[in-house]
Amino acid sequence: MAGEITETGELYSSYVGLVYMFNLIVGTGALTMPKAFATAGWLVSLILLVFLGFMSFVTTTFVIEAMAAANAQLRWKRMENHKEEEDDDSSTASDSDVLIRDNYERAEKRPILSVQRRGSPNLFEITDRVEMGQMASMFFSKVGVNLFYFCIIVYLYGDLAIYAAAVPFSLMQVTCSTTGNDSCGVEADTKYNDTDRCWGPLRRVDAYHIYLAIFTLLLGPFTFFDVQKTKYLQILTSLMRWIAFAVMIVLALVRIGHGQGEGHPPLADFSGVRNLFGVCVYSFMCQHSLPSLVTPVSSKRHLTRLVFLDYVLILAFYGLLSFTAIFCFRGDSLMDMYTLNFARCDVVGLAAVRFFLGLFPVFTISTNFPIIAVTLRNNWKTLFHREGGTYPWVVDRVVFPTITLVPPVLVAFCTHDLESLVGITGAYAGTGIQYVIPAFLVYHCRRDTQLAFGCGVSNKHRSPFRHTFWVGFVLLWAFSCFIFVTANIVLSETQL
C-alpha cells in the first residue's frame, strides 16, 4: 500500500485466487451485519445488500481494468527504454553500418509499430503488481494523489479503531458476568450497562479499558517495526474464521428448526439504513487489495467471470448468516459483534464452544492489527515523501508509528459502539475507496490509454461496464451516499 511496484509473489490458480478474495471480503464486517439487518428490516436490508454488492462488483472490474492499463504503460516504457539503449549501443558503429541501417529503417520500424498499434496480446497482461498508490501517481494529478492517500489513511484509521475496540469489547463480554464466574457471558434477556459491576469494585467499562491497555501494550509495539503476514498465519486465521461462521449458522438453523427462534424482524425500518449502508460497504471492501490478489493469478482468461462468481457466493453467504441471525434472535438482543450472542448458556450448552465463539474476534483481529498498522504507517511515509529525501531516525522510527497508533486507540477508549464505528468508516472513507477512487482511476486510465496507444488498441481486461455512463453513475451514487449519511447523522443528533 506504500504505492510501489512490488513483487508478484508465488503464482496460483484462478480458483485459489477466488478463495483468497472470498476470505479477504468476508471478514470482521460480516459479524456486525446481523444487528444492522435487524435494525433496518429484512426486505430493505436484502435489497440494499444486493445493490451494494453489484456496485462493488462494478468498481472491482474498474480497478482490474486500471491495473491492466498500468501494466501496459509500464511495459511500453520498458520497450522504449530498451530501444533507446540499443540506439546508444549502435551509435559507435561504422558509417557502412549506419548506411545499411538507414536503408532498412522504415522496413524495421513499420512492422514493430503496427504490431503494437494493433495491440500485442501481452501488452495489457497483468504481470506487475502495481498497487493503488502507484496507479494513482500514474493517472492522477498531484492533488489527486494526495486526496487518494488521505482517503486511504482515514479508512485505515477507522479499521484500526474497529479492531482496537472489538478485541477488548469481546473480552469484556465474555469475562464479565453479573452471575459470577459461570462462563456463560451474556445471559438471556439480560441487558448490561457499562457502569455495571464486573469484578468486585471494577465496572464493565473499567474492564474494557484494562483490556484495551493490555491489547495496546502487546500489539502496539509491532507498529514500530516491519511485520510480514506469514502463509501459515493466514491459513490458521482462515480456518478459525470458517469454523466459527459454520458453527454459528448451524446453531441458528437448529434453534429455528426446533421452534426456538425469537426473531420477528420488521419489513422495513428506514431509521437503521444509515448504519446498514456503512456496514455493507465495509463488508464488500476489497478494492484496495486487488493488486495483491489478482496479479499472482496464473491464468486471467476468465477473470471477470470468476470475480462475478465470488460476489454471488459472498452475497449468498451474507444473506444466510444475517437471515438465520435475525430470525433466531430478537432484534434488541443481537450484539454488535454477532459471535457474542453465542456466549449464552441457553444458546450453547458446551462451554468450549461458547468460549471459542466469544473469543473468536480476539484471535483473528489480533493477527490483522499489526499488519494494518504497518500499512498505515507506510502510507503516512509515502504521503510526505519527497524525491531523494530521507527521514531522520526519530521521525521514521518514532513519529510515524506514534501518529499511527495513538488516534485509533483514543477512539476505542472513548467508544466501543462497533456498529457505529463500522458504519461511519464504511459510509465515508469506505465510499471513497470503493466507489470514488476506482471510478476516477478507470476514467483517467481509459483516456491515457487512448492517447498513448490510439483508439484501435483494446484492453483485454476492460470492464464489462464500458460506457462512460457507469463511471458517472458510480460517482453520482457515491455523492448521494455522502449526502444521505451526513443528513441522517445530523437529523439523528438534532432529535437527541
Side-chain angles (χ1 to χ4, degrees):
M1 286 304 303
E4 299 177 351
I5 302 171
T6 55
E7 294 182 2
T8 301
E10 185 180 350
L11 299 180
Y12 44 72
S13 68
S14 304
Y15 295 102
V16 172
L18 182 144
V19 173
Y20 283 171
M21 181 177 289
F22 194 101
N23 284 337
L24 172 71
I25 296 177
V26 180
T28 311
L31 299 178
T32 62
M33 191 173 287
K35 184 176 180 180
F37 258 63
T39 305
W42 68 267
L43 182 60
V44 170
S45 300
L46 180 61
I47 293 173
L48 189 61
L49 179 69
V50 172
F51 180 73
L52 291 179
F54 168 75
M55 294 297 292
S56 180
F57 170 70
V58 171
T59 55
T60 296
T61 62
F62 283 175
V63 174
I64 292 174
E65 179 178 343
M67 289 167 55
N71 271 262
Q73 289 204 16
L74 291 172
R75 191 168 289 110
W76 182 265
K77 288 179 181 178
R78 282 196 291 264
M79 292 168 59
E80 291 293 322
N81 292 336
H82 182 66
K83 180 182 176 183
E84 290 178 0
E85 290 176 0
E86 288 183 344
D87 290 342
D88 292 339
D89 292 339
S90 62
S91 61
T92 57
S94 63
D95 291 342
S96 60
D97 291 336
V98 173
L99 289 174
I100 295 173
R101 186 189 62 192
D102 289 341
N103 290 334
Y104 291 97
E105 184 180 32
R106 187 175 302 174
E108 289 177 346
K109 286 185 176 180
R110 187 180 297 122
I112 294 174
L113 292 176
S114 63
V115 169
Q116 296 301 334
R117 288 297 179 184
R118 288 197 301 269
S120 169
N122 297 321
L123 191 61
F124 288 90
E125 194 63 60
I126 302 174
T127 55
D128 289 327
R129 189 170 121 186
V130 187
E131 301 289 356
M132 284 191 74
Q134 177 66 14
M135 286 190 283
S137 65
M138 292 174 67
F139 301 124
F140 293 165
S141 64
K142 184 177 179 180
V143 174
V145 172
N146 289 335
L147 290 175
F148 163 80
Y149 277 105
F150 174 78
C151 188
I152 287 286
I153 287 170
V154 171
Y155 173 76
L156 292 175
Y157 267 132
D159 233 6
L160 290 178
I162 293 166
Y163 287 3
V167 170
F169 180 72
S170 297
L171 289 169
M172 177 193 71
Q173 289 292 123
V174 171
T175 58
C176 291
S177 174
T178 56
T179 58
N181 296 325
D182 56 5
S183 77
C184 290
V186 183
E187 294 293 338
D189 301 321
T190 300
K191 287 292 181 183
Y192 291 134
N193 296 317
D194 285 347
T195 54
D196 292 339
R197 297 295 179 184
C198 180
W199 316 304
L202 289 178
R203 301 168 300 168
R204 289 168 60 83
V205 68
D206 297 328
Y208 170 79
H209 289 152
I210 291 172
Y211 283 130
L212 176 60
I214 295 173
F215 175 83
T216 305
L217 290 174
L218 289 178
L219 297 181
F222 287 102
T223 312
F224 294 80
F225 307 99
D226 290 325
V227 177
Q228 295 292 332
K229 183 190 288 188
T230 65
K231 175 182 178 181
Y232 299 105
L233 189 60
Q234 290 186 45
I235 294 173
L236 177 62
T237 303
S238 298
L239 182 63
M240 291 181 61
R241 176 190 305 163
W242 289 114
I243 292 175
F245 281 131
V247 169
M248 288 188 291
I249 291 173
V250 170
L251 288 175
L253 286 173
V254 169
R255 283 178 61 83
I256 295 172
H258 289 166
Q260 297 175 325
E262 305 168 349
H264 301 283
L267 197 68
D269 186 351
F270 291 99
S271 63
V273 171
R274 182 192 78 197
N275 273 339
L276 174 67
F277 168 77
V279 168
C280 290
V281 171
Y282 185 82
S283 299
F284 281 112
M285 188 66 65
C286 70
Q287 284 74 8
H288 58 301
S289 298
L290 283 175
S292 302
L293 290 173
V294 172
T295 307
V297 174
S298 56
S299 175
K300 305 178 181 70
R301 184 178 179 183
H302 303 295
L303 189 59
T304 302
R305 296 179 187 176
L306 288 173
V307 171
F308 178 76
L309 176 61
D310 230 338
Y311 272 90
V312 171
L313 294 174
I314 291 165
L315 276 173
F317 174 79
Y318 281 164
L320 180 62
L321 180 71
S322 300
F323 273 87
T324 53
I326 63 178
F327 284 100
C328 180
F329 300 100
R330 294 195 321 272
D332 58 352
S333 69
L334 278 168
M335 306 291 291
D336 285 349
M337 192 68 65
Y338 180 49
T339 50
L340 297 175
N341 280 93
F342 296 89
R344 289 168 30 177
C345 287
D346 62 315
V347 177
V348 181
L350 192 61
V353 177
R354 287 199 304 271
F355 275 116
F356 172 72
L357 292 178
L359 298 176
F360 161 70
V362 177
F363 301 129
T364 57
I365 290 174
S366 296
T367 59
N368 287 332
F369 184 88
I371 299 162
I372 301 297
V374 170
T375 301
L376 175 56
R377 184 201 67 191
N378 291 340
N379 274 279
W380 271 121
K381 290 182 180 180
T382 304
L383 180 62
F384 290 104
H385 181 70
R386 294 296 176 265
E387 193 67 30
T390 58
Y391 297 113
W393 184 89
V394 174
V395 175
D396 185 59
R397 291 296 183 180
V398 178
V399 175
F400 282 122
T402 301
I403 64 174
T404 297
L405 183 62
V406 171
V409 172
L410 288 177
V411 171
F413 183 85
C414 296
T415 181
H416 55 68
D417 187 352
L418 294 175
E419 187 182 17
S420 296
L421 286 174
V422 172
I424 292 173
T425 301
Y428 286 103
T431 298
I433 294 173
Q434 194 164 156
Y435 301 139
V436 178
I437 292 174
F440 278 111
L441 272 178
V442 78
Y443 175 78
H444 286 286
C445 87
R446 288 173 181 174
R447 186 189 63 180
D448 290 359
T449 299
Q450 185 173 348
L451 289 174
F453 306 113
C455 299
V457 174
S458 177
N459 188 335
K460 61 183 295 185
H461 293 292
R462 192 172 186 182
S463 168
F465 309 95
R466 302 177 181 181
H467 200 279
T468 310
F469 161 80
W470 288 105
V471 177
F473 179 71
V474 169
L475 291 175
L476 179 63
W477 167 248
F479 178 75
S480 302
C481 292
F482 279 121
I483 298 299
F484 167 76
V485 172
T486 304
N488 198 282
I489 291 175
V490 171
L491 291 175
S492 299
E493 294 297 326
T494 304
Q495 291 175 358
L496 293 176

